[in-house]
Structure formats: structure tokens, C-alpha cells
Amino acid sequence: ATSGDDNVAIGRLALGAGTLTGGVNIAIGATAGDAITSGACNIAIGLNALTAATDNCDNIAIGQSALAASVNDGDNNVAIGNTAMGGADVSGANNIAIGSNAADALTSGACNIAMGETAYGAATTGHYNVAIGYNSIGTGVTTGEMNVAMGVSSLAAVTGGNCNVAIGRSAVNALTTGCHNVGIGGAALGGAAVTGNHNVGIGGSAADAITSGACNVAIGKDALGASTTGCMNIAIGLEAMGSAAVACG
């Protein structure tokens, strides 16, 4: 039964399993949006797209099982791709996931952008993160905020870290709880579990051994390449300070 207005349903049980009172929904595909009751202004295209949603509003789900597990409260989300944002009950709002399994573990996280297969794929409650590229911010159960990752497996393991920037394949890819780090270049700051803060690595494999070290600047391929716990060092040039295991004083 339905009292909702201006809805469009095409496909077996599309918009069809509940008592629909919401309006201006579009569902195309078998069981697309089939649990919606008071939800409004949603678009669901694909098998099981938005299939668990009830009172959700203003969502776009395109692809098989896209946004499929979000039961209620999740509004203004965009999920495009097979199981994009589709593996967990999304209650967060204003998220964008494009790519197969992108942001598919997200729950209460809000205002995130994930583009690429498995991008932001294990994150749950993080906010204001941007992950672009296959598996970027992809394996850590991310609760941190305001991280930016661009490149395959960049910032892949981040958990509680905040305000990090990783650009390049595997840049800062093992960082867990470090904050305010910048890695630009393939594997820059990328070889160890970074817990230190305020490090900058620019260049292929620059500062790639840093763990708890802090406030270091490494510019150039393999610059500061062996330092793990060193602090307040500046290395500029090819392999500058590249073989010294520098430690804090």
C-alpha cells in the first residue's frame, strides 16, 4: 500500500515491500529501494540498491547493492558502483563513494569522499576524509578526520591519524595514528607504521623509515631514508641523510 506521491518504480519489488508514504523516489531494478517507507527524494538504480533504507532521504545509489545496508538516518549520500557504501548500516550524511566497494564499511562517518575500488574501504566513523585511488585509506579501520590521500594504497593503514596528506603510490601507506604529516611521491613516508607528527617527505621513498620521529623535513629521493625516531632534521637532496639512523637527542 502507498500514499506517497510522485514515485517511480521499475523492476520486481522496486519500492514495493513496505508501506510507502514518502514521495519523489525513483527505483529501477529488482528490490531497489524496496524497504522505503517515509523516505523521500531518493534514487536507487540496480539490483538491491538502497534495499534496506526506510526513512532515508536525498540519497543516490547506482549499482548492485550500492548503499544496500543503510537502514535509516543516512541522508544526502551518493554511492556509485557495485556495493559502494553498501556493506554497513550508513547513518552518516553527505558522503560520496564512487567505485566498487568504495566506503563499504562506513557507518556514522560523514562528509567523506572515496573514489576508486576499495577506496576508504575499511573506514567506519571518520569524517572529512578524501581518498582517491585504488585502496587509498583502504585497509585501516579509519576513525581519523581531515586526511587526504591520492594514489594507489596511499594512507592505506591510517586509523586514528588526523590531518595527513599523501600523494603518490603507497605514500604514507603504513601510517596509523600520526598527525599532520605530508608525503608526496611514491612511497614517501611510506615504509613504516608512522605514529610521529609533523613530518614532511617529498620525493620517492623520502623518509620512508620514519616511525615515531617528528618534525622532520626530507626532500629528494631516499632523503632521510633510514631515520626512524629522529626529530627536527632537514635533509635536502638525493639520499641526503639517507643511510643514517638518526634519533632524537
Side-chain angles (χ1 to χ4, degrees), residues 49-180:
L50 208 64
T51 188
T54 55
D55 61 355
N56 309 49
C57 296
D58 301 296
N59 295 288
I60 298 174
I62 300 175
Q64 180 176 328
S65 297
L67 256 176
S70 180
V71 176
N72 54 39
D73 300 326
D75 299 328
N76 301 301
N77 295 297
V78 176
I80 300 175
N82 179 29
T83 321
M85 225 183 297
D89 184 1
V90 180
S91 59
N94 302 302
N95 296 288
I96 298 173
I98 300 175
S100 178
N101 297 308
D104 65 334
L106 194 67
T107 55
S108 61
C111 303
N112 299 289
I113 297 173
M115 299 177 66
E117 182 179 356
T118 69
Y120 212 59
T124 54
T125 61
H127 305 305
Y128 308 108
N129 295 291
V130 176
I132 299 175
Y134 170 79
N135 198 43
S136 56
I137 315 186
T139 58
V141 181
T142 306
T143 58
E145 301 181 351
M146 294 178 280
N147 296 290
V148 176
M150 299 176 66
V152 172
S153 295
S154 54
L155 262 179
V158 65
T159 54
N162 300 316
C163 303
N164 297 288
V165 176
I167 300 175
R169 181 185 179 93
S170 299
V172 207
N173 72 324
L175 178 145
T176 53
T177 59
C179 299
H180 302 280

Side-chain angles (χ1 to χ4, degrees), residues 8-17 26-36 43-53 61-68:
V8 176
I10 302 174
R12 181 177 60 84
L13 292 178
L15 287 179
I26 298 173
I28 301 174
T31 65
D34 62 322
I36 290 177
I43 298 174
I45 301 175
L47 173 66
N48 293 326
L50 208 64
T51 188
I62 300 175
Q64 180 176 328
S65 297
L67 256 176

Side-chain angles (χ1 to χ4, degrees), residues 195-215:
T195 58
N197 304 322
H198 304 287
N199 295 290
V200 176
I202 301 175
S205 300
D208 63 337
I210 288 283
T211 54
S212 60
C215 303

